[in-house]
């Protein structure tokens, strides 16, 4: 892109050289640098600035097609052009990075709101799992799995992709569950394997383990891991809320059973 922009700017500047003064011609190259910075990043913008500097010197400053400069004022013109090109490219690249960060934040906020809306309607654990798989399944480049671990260390896939784990992946899942920290692919803990593990934890510890496996086998970028971690917080809260509701229901049934038992014993004792 930097090379193409420099060539096009040189051709345009050559075409208008007969009607524009020499300092004004440099504005054509500055526009090319700005365009490259907006479309790419700082590196290509600086490359375009360097190429434009050479083209401006070779094609428009006497003697032509030579790096030699006869007039001292032309040296200042070139240096000023190079400085302005670098500053312009840096500012445009900075604005582009800010725009990308804003878009990522907006995407993260939208995903959180959508997941929260689905979890609000979930009344039990199974409904929470369905909502999680629906939301996380929107990423077509990822395989998603939600696993629970029994007391004897046996893993069970409760939702998502049903796939057998290798010994290394199972070890990473065990470590993530025991230490309540992410592990696996792209981390510093047992990175061999195709899964990145994130424990979904409540106050009493992990409730479920979220497994994410990129289909291309590459590690998840930091932005994607940050978004998944943010999505895991309301998901863990919904799981804890569903678990509490199940415990309350079990306690209510136990109380009713005890009342019935007491009534039966009283009746038998009376008879």
């Amino acid at each position: 892109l930097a090379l193409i922009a420099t060539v096009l700017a040189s051709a345009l500047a050559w075409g208008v050289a007969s009607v524009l003064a020499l300092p004004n011609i440099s504005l054509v190259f500055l526009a090319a640098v700005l365009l490259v910075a907006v479309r790419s990043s700082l590196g290509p913008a600086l490359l375009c600035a360097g190429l434009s500097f050479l083209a401006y010197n070779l094609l428009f400053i006497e003697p032509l097609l030579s790096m030699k400069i006869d007039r001292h004022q032309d040296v200042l013109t070139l240096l000023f052009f190079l400085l302005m090109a670098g500053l312009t490219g840096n500012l445009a690249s900075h604005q582009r990075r800010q725009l990308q960060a804003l878009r990522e934040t907006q995407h993260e906020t939208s995903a959180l709101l959508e997941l929260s809306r689905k979890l609000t309607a979930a009344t039990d654990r199974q409904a929470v799992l369905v909502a999680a798989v629906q939301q996380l399944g929107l990423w077509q480049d990822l395989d998603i799995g939600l696993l629970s671990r029994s007391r004897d260390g046996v893993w069970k896939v409760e939702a998502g992709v049903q796939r057998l784990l290798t010994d290394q992946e199972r070890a990473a899942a065990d470590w993530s569950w025991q230490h309540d920290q992410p592990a696996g692919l792209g981390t510093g803990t047992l990175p061999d394997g195709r899964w990145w593990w994130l424990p979904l934890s409540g106050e009493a510890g992990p409730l479920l383990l979220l497994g994410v496996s990129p289909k291309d086998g590459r590690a998840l970028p930091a932005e994607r891991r940050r978004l998944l971690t943010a999505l895991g917080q309301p998901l863990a809260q919904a799981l804890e809320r569903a678990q509490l509701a199940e415990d309350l229901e079990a306690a209510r049934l136990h109380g009713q059973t005890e009342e019935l038992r007491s009534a039966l014993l009283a009746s038998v004792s009376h008879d």
Side-chain angles (χ1 to χ4, degrees):
L1 180 61
L3 180 60
I4 293 175
T6 304
V7 172
L8 294 178
S10 300
L12 179 60
W14 187 267
V16 299
S18 58
V19 295
L20 290 180
L22 181 61
N24 295 331
I25 294 177
S26 64
L27 298 178
V28 178
F29 292 99
L30 284 176
V33 175
L34 181 61
L35 176 63
V36 172
V38 172
R39 297 291 297 179
S40 57
S41 60
L42 180 59
L46 294 178
L47 176 60
C48 183
L51 294 175
S52 299
F53 174 84
L54 294 176
Y56 185 45
N57 184 20
L58 291 174
L59 299 178
F60 300 100
I61 294 182
E62 297 291 341
L64 301 181
L65 301 179
S66 173
M67 295 301 295
K68 183 179 179 181
I69 301 175
D70 291 339
R71 299 185 303 175
H72 296 293
Q73 57 267 33
D74 291 338
V75 176
L76 295 178
T77 301
L78 275 175
L79 294 178
F80 180 74
F81 164 76
L82 187 60
L83 176 63
M84 291 303 299
L87 292 176
T88 303
N90 187 25
L91 290 175
S93 178
H94 180 67
Q95 291 295 324
R96 184 172 182 270
R97 290 195 300 269
Q98 286 185 333
L99 180 60
Q100 289 178 341
L102 182 61
R103 288 176 176 174
E104 292 174 358
T105 303
Q106 183 180 9
H107 176 66
E108 179 177 343
T109 303
S110 300
L112 284 171
L113 289 176
E114 182 65 19
L115 180 60
S116 298
R117 183 186 64 81
K118 293 179 179 179
L119 293 177
T120 301
T123 57
D124 55 17
R125 182 183 179 89
Q126 189 59 36
V128 172
L129 296 178
V130 171
V133 171
Q134 287 179 351
Q135 182 64 34
L136 298 177
L138 297 177
W139 287 313
Q140 301 296 328
D141 59 332
L142 301 178
D143 286 333
I144 303 296
L146 293 169
L147 288 71
S148 62
R149 186 174 185 265
S150 63
R151 293 183 178 180
D152 55 357
V154 178
W155 290 102
K156 176 185 176 183
V157 180
E158 294 200 21
V161 177
Q162 300 285 338
R163 180 188 293 180
L164 294 176
L165 302 179
T166 64
D167 293 339
Q168 189 75 8
E169 292 169 347
R170 189 177 295 105
D174 290 334
W175 190 94
S176 178
W177 184 274
Q178 294 170 2
H179 294 82
D180 198 13
Q181 295 180 9
L185 180 66
T187 68
T189 304
L190 301 173
D192 296 335
R194 297 182 57 88
W195 288 89
W196 176 73
W197 304 107
L198 175 68
L200 306 177
S201 303
E203 294 183 358
L207 302 170
L208 211 64
L209 193 65
L210 171 62
V212 179
S213 176
K215 294 182 179 180
D216 58 4
R218 299 180 180 178
L220 291 172
E223 295 79 9
R224 185 71 67 88
R225 293 199 301 269
R226 186 178 65 248
L227 177 55
L228 287 170
T229 302
L231 293 175
Q233 294 177 355
L235 183 55
Q237 294 173 357
L239 288 170
E240 192 170 28
R241 185 174 65 250
Q243 183 65 43
L244 179 60
E246 292 178 0
D247 293 342
L248 290 175
E249 180 65 17
R252 186 183 66 84
L253 292 177
H254 179 70
Q256 291 180 349
T257 302
E258 288 298 322
E259 290 179 1
L260 179 59
R261 176 176 175 274
S262 298
L264 287 174
L265 288 176
S267 177
V268 170
S269 176
H270 176 73
D271 291 343

